[in-house]
Amino acid sequence: MAHLHEPGRLVNRDTGWFKSSRSAASSDACVEVRFAAGAVGVRDSKNATGPRFEFTTRAWRSFLAATNR
C-alpha cells in the first residue's frame, strides 16, 4: 500500500524511522514516524524502544490535513 511521505508524494516501501526535516539534528524533543505495511507508526524519539502508536494511512492523512490548516 502507498503511504504519504511528503506532501503529494507517495512511497511504496518501508521508510524506517525518521524525524521531521524541521527538527533540529541534535534535538530529541520530537517524535519519529515510520511508514510501512499499510500503517503509520509514531514513537517518542527519546524512547525508541518504548510504546508506539500505529495509525491507518487514512487516519494519518486526516491528522496531517487538520494540522496543516
Side-chain angles (χ1 to χ4, degrees):
M1 178 171 233
H3 307 287
L4 184 65
H5 178 62
E6 296 173 6
R9 181 170 172 230
L10 295 173
V11 289
N12 292 310
R13 60 179 169 72
D14 184 333
T15 60
W17 292 101
F18 65 93
K19 292 182 186 180
S20 168
S21 60
R22 296 183 183 201
S23 296
S26 61
S27 176
D28 65 353
C30 61
V31 296
E32 296 175 326
V33 176
R34 180 179 193 165
F35 300 112
V40 179
V42 179
R43 71 181 182 188
D44 184 345
S45 60
K46 295 181 298 299
N47 188 5
T49 60
R52 299 171 183 172
F53 293 100
E54 187 172 294
F55 301 94
T56 64
T57 303
R58 182 176 179 169
W60 185 252
R61 286 178 189 255
S62 295
F63 169 74
L64 292 179
T67 59
N68 285 325
R69 292 183 186 163

